[in-house]
PDB file of all heavy atoms in Angstrom:
ATOM      1  N   GLN A 356      11.461 -26.037  10.131  1.00 98.00           N
ATOM      2  CA  GLN A 356      10.681 -25.699   8.930  1.00 98.00           C
ATOM      3  C   GLN A 356      11.295 -24.517   8.187  1.00 98.00           C
ATOM      4  O   GLN A 356      11.032 -24.327   7.006  1.00 98.00           O
ATOM      5  CB  GLN A 356       9.230 -25.398   9.366  1.00 98.00           C
ATOM      6  CG  GLN A 356       8.274 -25.034   8.255  1.00 98.00           C
ATOM      7  CD  GLN A 356       8.249 -23.546   7.940  1.00 98.00           C
ATOM      8  OE1 GLN A 356       8.807 -22.738   8.682  1.00 98.00           O
ATOM      9  NE2 GLN A 356       7.598 -23.192   6.847  1.00 98.00           N
ATOM     10  N   LEU A 359      16.653 -24.815   9.056  1.00 98.00           N
ATOM     11  CA  LEU A 359      17.320 -26.037   8.572  1.00 98.00           C
ATOM     12  C   LEU A 359      16.835 -26.431   7.182  1.00 98.00           C
ATOM     13  O   LEU A 359      17.612 -26.900   6.345  1.00 98.00           O
ATOM     14  CB  LEU A 359      17.127 -27.189   9.566  1.00 98.00           C
ATOM     15  CG  LEU A 359      17.772 -26.988  10.947  1.00 98.00           C
ATOM     16  CD1 LEU A 359      17.698 -28.273  11.768  1.00 98.00           C
ATOM     17  CD2 LEU A 359      19.228 -26.537  10.843  1.00 98.00           C
ATOM     18  N   LEU A 360      15.551 -26.193   6.929  1.00 98.00           N
ATOM     19  CA  LEU A 360      15.036 -26.550   5.604  1.00 98.00           C
ATOM     20  C   LEU A 360      15.622 -25.640   4.518  1.00 98.00           C
ATOM     21  O   LEU A 360      15.903 -26.085   3.405  1.00 98.00           O
ATOM     22  CB  LEU A 360      13.499 -26.460   5.602  1.00 98.00           C
ATOM     23  CG  LEU A 360      12.829 -27.042   4.370  1.00 98.00           C
ATOM     24  CD1 LEU A 360      13.090 -28.545   4.251  1.00 98.00           C
ATOM     25  CD2 LEU A 360      11.324 -26.781   4.369  1.00 98.00           C
ATOM     26  N   GLN A 361      15.822 -24.391   4.843  1.00 98.00           N
ATOM     27  CA  GLN A 361      16.438 -23.472   3.881  1.00 98.00           C
ATOM     28  C   GLN A 361      17.858 -23.929   3.546  1.00 98.00           C
ATOM     29  O   GLN A 361      18.272 -23.905   2.399  1.00 98.00           O
ATOM     30  CB  GLN A 361      16.480 -22.048   4.462  1.00 98.00           C
ATOM     31  CG  GLN A 361      15.142 -21.327   4.397  1.00 98.00           C
ATOM     32  CD  GLN A 361      14.665 -21.124   2.966  1.00 98.00           C
ATOM     33  OE1 GLN A 361      15.442 -20.811   2.085  1.00 98.00           O
ATOM     34  NE2 GLN A 361      13.382 -21.323   2.743  1.00 98.00           N
ATOM     35  N   ILE A 362      18.575 -24.353   4.577  1.00 98.00           N
ATOM     36  CA  ILE A 362      19.941 -24.836   4.323  1.00 98.00           C
ATOM     37  C   ILE A 362      19.879 -26.094   3.456  1.00 98.00           C
ATOM     38  O   ILE A 362      20.642 -26.249   2.496  1.00 98.00           O
ATOM     39  CB  ILE A 362      20.678 -25.125   5.653  1.00 98.00           C
ATOM     40  CG1 ILE A 362      20.843 -23.835   6.457  1.00 98.00           C
ATOM     41  CG2 ILE A 362      22.037 -25.752   5.389  1.00 98.00           C
ATOM     42  CD1 ILE A 362      21.492 -24.019   7.824  1.00 98.00           C
ATOM     43  N   LEU A 363      18.936 -26.957   3.788  1.00 98.00           N
ATOM     44  CA  LEU A 363      18.797 -28.190   3.004  1.00 98.00           C
ATOM     45  C   LEU A 363      18.533 -27.852   1.527  1.00 98.00           C
ATOM     46  O   LEU A 363      19.134 -28.447   0.620  1.00 98.00           O
ATOM     47  CB  LEU A 363      17.651 -29.030   3.570  1.00 98.00           C
ATOM     48  CG  LEU A 363      17.426 -30.399   2.936  1.00 98.00           C
ATOM     49  CD1 LEU A 363      16.784 -31.352   3.957  1.00 98.00           C
ATOM     50  CD2 LEU A 363      16.560 -30.371   1.703  1.00 98.00           C
ATOM     51  N   ALA A 364      17.646 -26.894   1.300  1.00 98.00           N
ATOM     52  CA  ALA A 364      17.296 -26.547  -0.089  1.00 98.00           C
ATOM     53  C   ALA A 364      18.525 -26.032  -0.841  1.00 98.00           C
ATOM     54  O   ALA A 364      18.768 -26.407  -1.987  1.00 98.00           O
ATOM     55  CB  ALA A 364      16.167 -25.520  -0.099  1.00 98.00           C
ATOM     56  N   LEU A 365      19.315 -25.191  -0.174  1.00 98.00           N
ATOM     57  CA  LEU A 365      20.527 -24.673  -0.827  1.00 98.00           C
ATOM     58  C   LEU A 365      21.531 -25.794  -1.073  1.00 98.00           C
ATOM     59  O   LEU A 365      22.239 -25.819  -2.066  1.00 98.00           O
ATOM     60  CB  LEU A 365      21.191 -23.613   0.058  1.00 98.00           C
ATOM     61  CG  LEU A 365      20.544 -22.240   0.091  1.00 98.00           C
ATOM     62  CD1 LEU A 365      21.260 -21.366   1.104  1.00 98.00           C
ATOM     63  CD2 LEU A 365      20.587 -21.578  -1.280  1.00 98.00           C
ATOM     64  N   ALA A 367      20.843 -28.969  -1.578  1.00 98.00           N
ATOM     65  CA  ALA A 367      20.431 -30.032  -2.499  1.00 98.00           C
ATOM     66  C   ALA A 367      19.967 -29.537  -3.861  1.00 98.00           C
ATOM     67  O   ALA A 367      19.793 -30.340  -4.773  1.00 98.00           O
ATOM     68  CB  ALA A 367      19.299 -30.822  -1.842  1.00 98.00           C
ATOM     69  N   MET A 368      19.787 -28.241  -4.031  1.00 98.00           N
ATOM     70  CA  MET A 368      19.201 -27.757  -5.290  1.00 98.00           C
ATOM     71  C   MET A 368      20.126 -28.017  -6.477  1.00 98.00           C
ATOM     72  O   MET A 368      21.329 -28.225  -6.314  1.00 98.00           O
ATOM     73  CB  MET A 368      18.900 -26.255  -5.189  1.00 98.00           C
ATOM     74  CG  MET A 368      20.131 -25.388  -5.190  1.00 98.00           C
ATOM     75  SD  MET A 368      19.701 -23.645  -4.962  1.00 98.00           S
ATOM     76  CE  MET A 368      21.342 -22.911  -5.145  1.00 98.00           C
ATOM     77  N   ARG A 380      15.840 -19.023  -6.308  1.00 97.00           N
ATOM     78  CA  ARG A 380      14.629 -19.414  -5.576  1.00 97.00           C
ATOM     79  C   ARG A 380      13.815 -20.451  -6.355  1.00 97.00           C
ATOM     80  O   ARG A 380      13.186 -21.327  -5.770  1.00 97.00           O
ATOM     81  CB  ARG A 380      13.825 -18.173  -5.198  1.00 97.00           C
ATOM     82  CG  ARG A 380      14.669 -17.273  -4.265  1.00 97.00           C
ATOM     83  CD  ARG A 380      13.912 -16.187  -3.572  1.00 97.00           C
ATOM     84  NE  ARG A 380      13.340 -15.184  -4.443  1.00 97.00           N
ATOM     85  CZ  ARG A 380      12.678 -14.115  -3.985  1.00 97.00           C
ATOM     86  NH1 ARG A 380      12.541 -13.923  -2.688  1.00 97.00           N
ATOM     87  NH2 ARG A 380      12.179 -13.242  -4.813  1.00 97.00           N
ATOM     88  N   ASN A 381      13.865 -20.367  -7.695  1.00 98.00           N
ATOM     89  CA  ASN A 381      13.182 -21.402  -8.489  1.00 98.00           C
ATOM     90  C   ASN A 381      13.758 -22.778  -8.168  1.00 98.00           C
ATOM     91  O   ASN A 381      13.028 -23.758  -8.011  1.00 98.00           O
ATOM     92  CB  ASN A 381      13.364 -21.144  -9.993  1.00 98.00           C
ATOM     93  CG  ASN A 381      12.531 -19.951 -10.448  1.00 98.00           C
ATOM     94  OD1 ASN A 381      11.614 -19.523  -9.744  1.00 98.00           O
ATOM     95  ND2 ASN A 381      12.857 -19.409 -11.605  1.00 98.00           N
ATOM     96  N   GLU A 382      15.084 -22.854  -8.080  1.00 98.00           N
ATOM     97  CA  GLU A 382      15.711 -24.156  -7.809  1.00 98.00           C
ATOM     98  C   GLU A 382      15.376 -24.639  -6.406  1.00 98.00           C
ATOM     99  O   GLU A 382      15.172 -25.832  -6.183  1.00 98.00           O
ATOM    100  CB  GLU A 382      17.237 -24.078  -7.987  1.00 98.00           C
ATOM    101  CG  GLU A 382      17.686 -23.866  -9.418  1.00 98.00           C
ATOM    102  CD  GLU A 382      17.102 -24.872 -10.411  1.00 98.00           C
ATOM    103  OE1 GLU A 382      16.844 -26.032 -10.036  1.00 98.00           O
ATOM    104  OE2 GLU A 382      16.881 -24.488 -11.575  1.00 98.00           O
ATOM    105  N   LYS A 383      15.331 -23.706  -5.459  1.00 98.00           N
ATOM    106  CA  LYS A 383      14.993 -24.125  -4.092  1.00 98.00           C
ATOM    107  C   LYS A 383      13.569 -24.677  -4.042  1.00 98.00           C
ATOM    108  O   LYS A 383      13.306 -25.694  -3.404  1.00 98.00           O
ATOM    109  CB  LYS A 383      15.153 -22.945  -3.127  1.00 98.00           C
ATOM    110  CG  LYS A 383      16.611 -22.684  -2.759  1.00 98.00           C
ATOM    111  CD  LYS A 383      16.807 -21.330  -2.131  1.00 98.00           C
ATOM    112  CE  LYS A 383      16.183 -21.217  -0.778  1.00 98.00           C
ATOM    113  NZ  LYS A 383      16.126 -19.812  -0.310  1.00 98.00           N
ATOM    114  N   VAL A 384      12.671 -23.993  -4.736  1.00 98.00           N
ATOM    115  CA  VAL A 384      11.281 -24.463  -4.730  1.00 98.00           C
ATOM    116  C   VAL A 384      11.202 -25.867  -5.334  1.00 98.00           C
ATOM    117  O   VAL A 384      10.510 -26.742  -4.815  1.00 98.00           O
ATOM    118  CB  VAL A 384      10.360 -23.490  -5.513  1.00 98.00           C
ATOM    119  CG1 VAL A 384       8.959 -24.066  -5.657  1.00 98.00           C
ATOM    120  CG2 VAL A 384      10.299 -22.151  -4.814  1.00 98.00           C
ATOM    121  N   LYS A 385      11.972 -26.088  -6.408  1.00 98.00           N
ATOM    122  CA  LYS A 385      11.926 -27.412  -7.062  1.00 98.00           C
ATOM    123  C   LYS A 385      12.339 -28.509  -6.086  1.00 98.00           C
ATOM    124  O   LYS A 385      11.710 -29.554  -6.015  1.00 98.00           O
ATOM    125  CB  LYS A 385      12.873 -27.423  -8.270  1.00 98.00           C
ATOM    126  CG  LYS A 385      12.212 -26.931  -9.541  1.00 98.00           C
ATOM    127  CD  LYS A 385      12.990 -27.443 -10.730  1.00 98.00           C
ATOM    128  CE  LYS A 385      13.582 -26.299 -11.492  1.00 98.00           C
ATOM    129  NZ  LYS A 385      14.631 -26.660 -12.429  1.00 98.00           N
ATOM    130  N   VAL A 386      13.398 -28.263  -5.340  1.00 98.00           N
ATOM    131  CA  VAL A 386      13.842 -29.283  -4.379  1.00 98.00           C
ATOM    132  C   VAL A 386      12.766 -29.513  -3.324  1.00 98.00           C
ATOM    133  O   VAL A 386      12.414 -30.659  -3.012  1.00 98.00           O
ATOM    134  CB  VAL A 386      15.142 -28.857  -3.661  1.00 98.00           C
ATOM    135  CG1 VAL A 386      15.491 -29.820  -2.551  1.00 98.00           C
ATOM    136  CG2 VAL A 386      16.276 -28.796  -4.615  1.00 98.00           C
ATOM    137  N   LEU A 387      12.248 -28.422  -2.801  1.00 98.00           N
ATOM    138  CA  LEU A 387      11.261 -28.569  -1.724  1.00 98.00           C
ATOM    139  C   LEU A 387      10.043 -29.342  -2.223  1.00 98.00           C
ATOM    140  O   LEU A 387       9.478 -30.169  -1.506  1.00 98.00           O
ATOM    141  CB  LEU A 387      10.843 -27.192  -1.191  1.00 98.00           C
ATOM    142  CG  LEU A 387      11.957 -26.389  -0.510  1.00 98.00           C
ATOM    143  CD1 LEU A 387      11.468 -25.009  -0.113  1.00 98.00           C
ATOM    144  CD2 LEU A 387      12.478 -27.118   0.725  1.00 98.00           C
ATOM    145  N   ARG A 388       9.684 -29.069  -3.477  1.00 98.00           N
ATOM    146  CA  ARG A 388       8.505 -29.759  -4.006  1.00 98.00           C
ATOM    147  C   ARG A 388       8.801 -31.215  -4.373  1.00 98.00           C
ATOM    148  O   ARG A 388       7.885 -31.994  -4.608  1.00 98.00           O
ATOM    149  CB  ARG A 388       7.943 -28.977  -5.185  1.00 98.00           C
ATOM    150  CG  ARG A 388       7.339 -27.650  -4.685  1.00 98.00           C
ATOM    151  CD  ARG A 388       6.725 -26.840  -5.761  1.00 98.00           C
ATOM    152  NE  ARG A 388       5.741 -27.588  -6.507  1.00 98.00           N
ATOM    153  CZ  ARG A 388       5.281 -27.221  -7.697  1.00 98.00           C
ATOM    154  NH1 ARG A 388       5.712 -26.102  -8.241  1.00 98.00           N
ATOM    155  NH2 ARG A 388       4.393 -27.945  -8.323  1.00 98.00           N
ATOM    156  N   SER A 389      10.086 -31.559  -4.432  1.00 98.00           N
ATOM    157  CA  SER A 389      10.432 -32.970  -4.719  1.00 98.00           C
ATOM    158  C   SER A 389      10.508 -33.787  -3.441  1.00 98.00           C
ATOM    159  O   SER A 389      10.836 -34.976  -3.484  1.00 98.00           O
ATOM    160  CB  SER A 389      11.811 -33.069  -5.377  1.00 98.00           C
ATOM    161  OG  SER A 389      11.893 -32.256  -6.479  1.00 98.00           O
ATOM    162  N   MET A 390      10.273 -33.147  -2.326  1.00 97.00           N
ATOM    163  CA  MET A 390      10.461 -33.876  -1.066  1.00 97.00           C
ATOM    164  C   MET A 390       9.177 -34.540  -0.600  1.00 97.00           C
ATOM    165  O   MET A 390       8.077 -34.061  -0.873  1.00 97.00           O
ATOM    166  CB  MET A 390      10.992 -32.924   0.016  1.00 97.00           C
ATOM    167  CG  MET A 390      12.410 -32.497  -0.277  1.00 97.00           C
ATOM    168  SD  MET A 390      13.010 -31.271   0.869  1.00 97.00           S
ATOM    169  CE  MET A 390      13.176 -32.242   2.334  1.00 97.00           C
ATOM    170  N   LYS A 391       9.396 -35.605   0.137  1.00 93.00           N
ATOM    171  CA  LYS A 391       8.263 -36.364   0.677  1.00 93.00           C
ATOM    172  C   LYS A 391       7.804 -35.682   1.965  1.00 93.00           C
ATOM    173  O   LYS A 391       8.637 -35.460   2.857  1.00 93.00           O
ATOM    174  CB  LYS A 391       8.799 -37.764   0.971  1.00 93.00           C
ATOM    175  CG  LYS A 391       7.792 -38.764   1.379  1.00 93.00           C
ATOM    176  CD  LYS A 391       8.467 -40.133   1.442  1.00 93.00           C
ATOM    177  CE  LYS A 391       8.246 -40.717   2.776  1.00 93.00           C
ATOM    178  NZ  LYS A 391       9.014 -41.242   3.690  1.00 93.00           N
ATOM    179  N   PRO A 392       6.504 -35.336   2.092  1.00 96.00           N
ATOM    180  CA  PRO A 392       6.051 -34.734   3.352  1.00 96.00           C
ATOM    181  C   PRO A 392       6.380 -35.656   4.528  1.00 96.00           C
ATOM    182  O   PRO A 392       6.328 -36.876   4.409  1.00 96.00           O
ATOM    183  CB  PRO A 392       4.538 -34.587   3.172  1.00 96.00           C
ATOM    184  CG  PRO A 392       4.340 -34.559   1.698  1.00 96.00           C
ATOM    185  CD  PRO A 392       5.419 -35.407   1.107  1.00 96.00           C
ATOM    186  N   LEU A 436      14.415 -36.773   6.351  1.00 98.00           N
ATOM    187  CA  LEU A 436      13.699 -36.275   5.172  1.00 98.00           C
ATOM    188  C   LEU A 436      14.315 -36.891   3.915  1.00 98.00           C
ATOM    189  O   LEU A 436      15.507 -37.213   3.892  1.00 98.00           O
ATOM    190  CB  LEU A 436      13.793 -34.751   5.088  1.00 98.00           C
ATOM    191  CG  LEU A 436      13.080 -33.990   6.201  1.00 98.00           C
ATOM    192  CD1 LEU A 436      14.045 -33.596   7.295  1.00 98.00           C
ATOM    193  CD2 LEU A 436      12.420 -32.745   5.645  1.00 98.00           C
ATOM    194  N   PHE A 437      13.488 -36.998   2.895  1.00 98.00           N
ATOM    195  CA  PHE A 437      13.972 -37.597   1.642  1.00 98.00           C
ATOM    196  C   PHE A 437      13.559 -36.744   0.453  1.00 98.00           C
ATOM    197  O   PHE A 437      12.475 -36.162   0.448  1.00 98.00           O
ATOM    198  CB  PHE A 437      13.395 -39.008   1.491  1.00 98.00           C
ATOM    199  CG  PHE A 437      13.985 -39.956   2.492  1.00 98.00           C
ATOM    200  CD1 PHE A 437      13.397 -40.099   3.749  1.00 98.00           C
ATOM    201  CD2 PHE A 437      15.147 -40.653   2.206  1.00 98.00           C
ATOM    202  CE1 PHE A 437      13.949 -40.944   4.697  1.00 98.00           C
ATOM    203  CE2 PHE A 437      15.713 -41.498   3.154  1.00 98.00           C
ATOM    204  CZ  PHE A 437      15.116 -41.650   4.403  1.00 98.00           C
ATOM    205  N   ILE A 438      14.446 -36.713  -0.532  1.00 98.00           N
ATOM    206  CA  ILE A 438      14.158 -35.944  -1.744  1.00 98.00           C
ATOM    207  C   ILE A 438      13.962 -36.944  -2.876  1.00 98.00           C
ATOM    208  O   ILE A 438      14.882 -37.706  -3.204  1.00 98.00           O
ATOM    209  CB  ILE A 438      15.336 -34.995  -2.080  1.00 98.00           C
ATOM    210  CG1 ILE A 438      15.639 -34.087  -0.881  1.00 98.00           C
ATOM    211  CG2 ILE A 438      15.029 -34.178  -3.326  1.00 98.00           C
ATOM    212  CD1 ILE A 438      16.894 -33.239  -1.047  1.00 98.00           C
ATOM    213  N   ASN A 440      14.176 -37.215  -6.062  1.00 97.00           N
ATOM    214  CA  ASN A 440      14.614 -36.859  -7.417  1.00 97.00           C
ATOM    215  C   ASN A 440      15.845 -37.686  -7.774  1.00 97.00           C
ATOM    216  O   ASN A 440      16.369 -38.442  -6.949  1.00 97.00           O
ATOM    217  CB  ASN A 440      14.828 -35.340  -7.571  1.00 97.00           C
ATOM    218  CG  ASN A 440      16.005 -34.812  -6.760  1.00 97.00           C
ATOM    219  OD1 ASN A 440      16.827 -35.582  -6.263  1.00 97.00           O
ATOM    220  ND2 ASN A 440      16.078 -33.503  -6.612  1.00 97.00           N
ATOM    221  N   MET A 450      17.707 -34.184  10.179  1.00 98.00           N
ATOM    222  CA  MET A 450      17.733 -32.892  10.882  1.00 98.00           C
ATOM    223  C   MET A 450      17.647 -33.162  12.366  1.00 98.00           C
ATOM    224  O   MET A 450      16.937 -34.076  12.795  1.00 98.00           O
ATOM    225  CB  MET A 450      16.496 -32.065  10.526  1.00 98.00           C
ATOM    226  CG  MET A 450      16.547 -31.387   9.213  1.00 98.00           C
ATOM    227  SD  MET A 450      15.040 -30.389   9.057  1.00 98.00           S
ATOM    228  CE  MET A 450      15.262 -29.816   7.395  1.00 98.00           C
ATOM    229  N   ILE A 552      12.636 -15.199   1.505  1.00 97.00           N
ATOM    230  CA  ILE A 552      11.804 -16.349   1.136  1.00 97.00           C
ATOM    231  C   ILE A 552      10.626 -15.909   0.277  1.00 97.00           C
ATOM    232  O   ILE A 552       9.829 -15.065   0.695  1.00 97.00           O
ATOM    233  CB  ILE A 552      11.234 -17.034   2.409  1.00 97.00           C
ATOM    234  CG1 ILE A 552      12.302 -17.163   3.490  1.00 97.00           C
ATOM    235  CG2 ILE A 552      10.599 -18.376   2.072  1.00 97.00           C
ATOM    236  CD1 ILE A 552      13.426 -18.078   3.180  1.00 97.00           C
ATOM    237  N   ASP A 555       5.988 -18.896  -2.784  1.00 96.00           N
ATOM    238  CA  ASP A 555       5.809 -20.300  -3.181  1.00 96.00           C
ATOM    239  C   ASP A 555       6.801 -21.216  -2.456  1.00 96.00           C
ATOM    240  O   ASP A 555       6.512 -22.395  -2.191  1.00 96.00           O
ATOM    241  CB  ASP A 555       5.895 -20.483  -4.705  1.00 96.00           C
ATOM    242  CG  ASP A 555       7.162 -19.914  -5.309  1.00 96.00           C
ATOM    243  OD1 ASP A 555       7.875 -19.162  -4.627  1.00 96.00           O
ATOM    244  OD2 ASP A 555       7.449 -20.221  -6.483  1.00 96.00           O
ATOM    245  N   GLU A 556       7.961 -20.646  -2.097  1.00 97.00           N
ATOM    246  CA  GLU A 556       8.938 -21.405  -1.309  1.00 97.00           C
ATOM    247  C   GLU A 556       8.346 -21.721   0.067  1.00 97.00           C
ATOM    248  O   GLU A 556       8.467 -22.822   0.597  1.00 97.00           O
ATOM    249  CB  GLU A 556      10.142 -20.491  -1.069  1.00 97.00           C
ATOM    250  CG  GLU A 556      11.440 -20.957  -1.578  1.00 97.00           C
ATOM    251  CD  GLU A 556      12.521 -19.958  -1.199  1.00 97.00           C
ATOM    252  OE1 GLU A 556      12.479 -18.794  -1.638  1.00 97.00           O
ATOM    253  OE2 GLU A 556      13.406 -20.349  -0.449  1.00 97.00           O
ATOM    254  N   LEU A 557       7.718 -20.689   0.602  1.00 97.00           N
ATOM    255  CA  LEU A 557       7.106 -20.829   1.922  1.00 97.00           C
ATOM    256  C   LEU A 557       5.991 -21.879   1.878  1.00 97.00           C
ATOM    257  O   LEU A 557       5.894 -22.739   2.759  1.00 97.00           O
ATOM    258  CB  LEU A 557       6.558 -19.452   2.324  1.00 97.00           C
ATOM    259  CG  LEU A 557       5.958 -19.315   3.689  1.00 97.00           C
ATOM    260  CD1 LEU A 557       6.981 -19.640   4.769  1.00 97.00           C
ATOM    261  CD2 LEU A 557       5.447 -17.870   3.880  1.00 97.00           C
ATOM    262  N   ASP A 558       5.176 -21.820   0.830  1.00 97.00           N
ATOM    263  CA  ASP A 558       4.087 -22.803   0.698  1.00 97.00           C
ATOM    264  C   ASP A 558       4.669 -24.217   0.649  1.00 97.00           C
ATOM    265  O   ASP A 558       4.162 -25.132   1.304  1.00 97.00           O
ATOM    266  CB  ASP A 558       3.294 -22.571  -0.598  1.00 97.00           C
ATOM    267  CG  ASP A 558       2.536 -21.249  -0.570  1.00 97.00           C
ATOM    268  OD1 ASP A 558       2.406 -20.672   0.524  1.00 97.00           O
ATOM    269  OD2 ASP A 558       2.105 -20.792  -1.649  1.00 97.00           O
ATOM    270  N   ALA A 559       5.746 -24.364  -0.138  1.00 98.00           N
ATOM    271  CA  ALA A 559       6.339 -25.709  -0.283  1.00 98.00           C
ATOM    272  C   ALA A 559       6.914 -26.182   1.051  1.00 98.00           C
ATOM    273  O   ALA A 559       6.814 -27.369   1.399  1.00 98.00           O
ATOM    274  CB  ALA A 559       7.412 -25.687  -1.359  1.00 98.00           C
ATOM    275  N   ALA A 560       7.493 -25.243   1.800  1.00 98.00           N
ATOM    276  CA  ALA A 560       8.075 -25.611   3.097  1.00 98.00           C
ATOM    277  C   ALA A 560       6.978 -26.059   4.060  1.00 98.00           C
ATOM    278  O   ALA A 560       7.120 -27.078   4.753  1.00 98.00           O
ATOM    279  CB  ALA A 560       8.860 -24.441   3.670  1.00 98.00           C
ATOM    280  N   TRP A 561       5.898 -25.314   4.092  1.00 98.00           N
ATOM    281  CA  TRP A 561       4.812 -25.699   5.000  1.00 98.00           C
ATOM    282  C   TRP A 561       4.159 -27.011   4.573  1.00 98.00           C
ATOM    283  O   TRP A 561       3.727 -27.808   5.407  1.00 98.00           O
ATOM    284  CB  TRP A 561       3.759 -24.584   5.091  1.00 98.00           C
ATOM    285  CG  TRP A 561       4.121 -23.518   6.077  1.00 98.00           C
ATOM    286  CD1 TRP A 561       4.283 -22.184   5.826  1.00 98.00           C
ATOM    287  CD2 TRP A 561       4.361 -23.681   7.485  1.00 98.00           C
ATOM    288  NE1 TRP A 561       4.618 -21.514   6.977  1.00 98.00           N
ATOM    289  CE2 TRP A 561       4.672 -22.408   8.018  1.00 98.00           C
ATOM    290  CE3 TRP A 561       4.359 -24.775   8.357  1.00 98.00           C
ATOM    291  CZ2 TRP A 561       4.966 -22.204   9.365  1.00 98.00           C
ATOM    292  CZ3 TRP A 561       4.650 -24.575   9.701  1.00 98.00           C
ATOM    293  CH2 TRP A 561       4.954 -23.304  10.190  1.00 98.00           C
ATOM    294  N   ALA A 562       4.076 -27.242   3.266  1.00 98.00           N
ATOM    295  CA  ALA A 562       3.436 -28.475   2.789  1.00 98.00           C
ATOM    296  C   ALA A 562       4.182 -29.704   3.312  1.00 98.00           C
ATOM    297  O   ALA A 562       3.580 -30.749   3.558  1.00 98.00           O
ATOM    298  CB  ALA A 562       3.398 -28.483   1.264  1.00 98.00           C
ATOM    299  N   LEU A 563       5.479 -29.570   3.524  1.00 98.00           N
ATOM    300  CA  LEU A 563       6.259 -30.705   4.024  1.00 98.00           C
ATOM    301  C   LEU A 563       5.989 -30.996   5.494  1.00 98.00           C
ATOM    302  O   LEU A 563       6.029 -32.142   5.930  1.00 98.00           O
ATOM    303  CB  LEU A 563       7.757 -30.404   3.885  1.00 98.00           C
ATOM    304  CG  LEU A 563       8.344 -30.445   2.496  1.00 98.00           C
ATOM    305  CD1 LEU A 563       9.796 -30.012   2.538  1.00 98.00           C
ATOM    306  CD2 LEU A 563       8.234 -31.870   1.983  1.00 98.00           C
ATOM    307  N   PHE A 564       5.781 -29.929   6.257  1.00 98.00           N
ATOM    308  CA  PHE A 564       5.695 -30.105   7.713  1.00 98.00           C
ATOM    309  C   PHE A 564       4.271 -30.129   8.266  1.00 98.00           C
ATOM    310  O   PHE A 564       4.048 -30.627   9.366  1.00 98.00           O
ATOM    311  CB  PHE A 564       6.493 -28.993   8.413  1.00 98.00           C
ATOM    312  CG  PHE A 564       7.974 -29.243   8.393  1.00 98.00           C
ATOM    313  CD1 PHE A 564       8.771 -28.774   7.357  1.00 98.00           C
ATOM    314  CD2 PHE A 564       8.577 -29.977   9.398  1.00 98.00           C
ATOM    315  CE1 PHE A 564      10.134 -29.016   7.331  1.00 98.00           C
ATOM    316  CE2 PHE A 564       9.945 -30.229   9.385  1.00 98.00           C
ATOM    317  CZ  PHE A 564      10.725 -29.747   8.348  1.00 98.00           C
TER     318      PHE A 564
END
Side-chain angles (χ1 to χ4, degrees):
Q356 180 272 349
L359 296 189
L360 191 63
Q361 282 297 320
I362 296 177
L363 184 153
L365 284 175
M368 71 184 184
R380 298 193 296 183
N381 288 343
E382 292 307 329
K383 282 164 68 192
V384 173
K385 272 201 244 164
V386 173
L387 295 176
R388 291 182 54 197
S389 307
M390 291 174 71
K391 187 172 125 231
L436 294 97
F437 290 89
I438 304 173
N440 68 13
M450 282 184 185
I552 317 294
D555 54 347
E556 240 182 297
L557 184 60
D558 293 345
W561 276 121
L563 287 175
F564 282 90

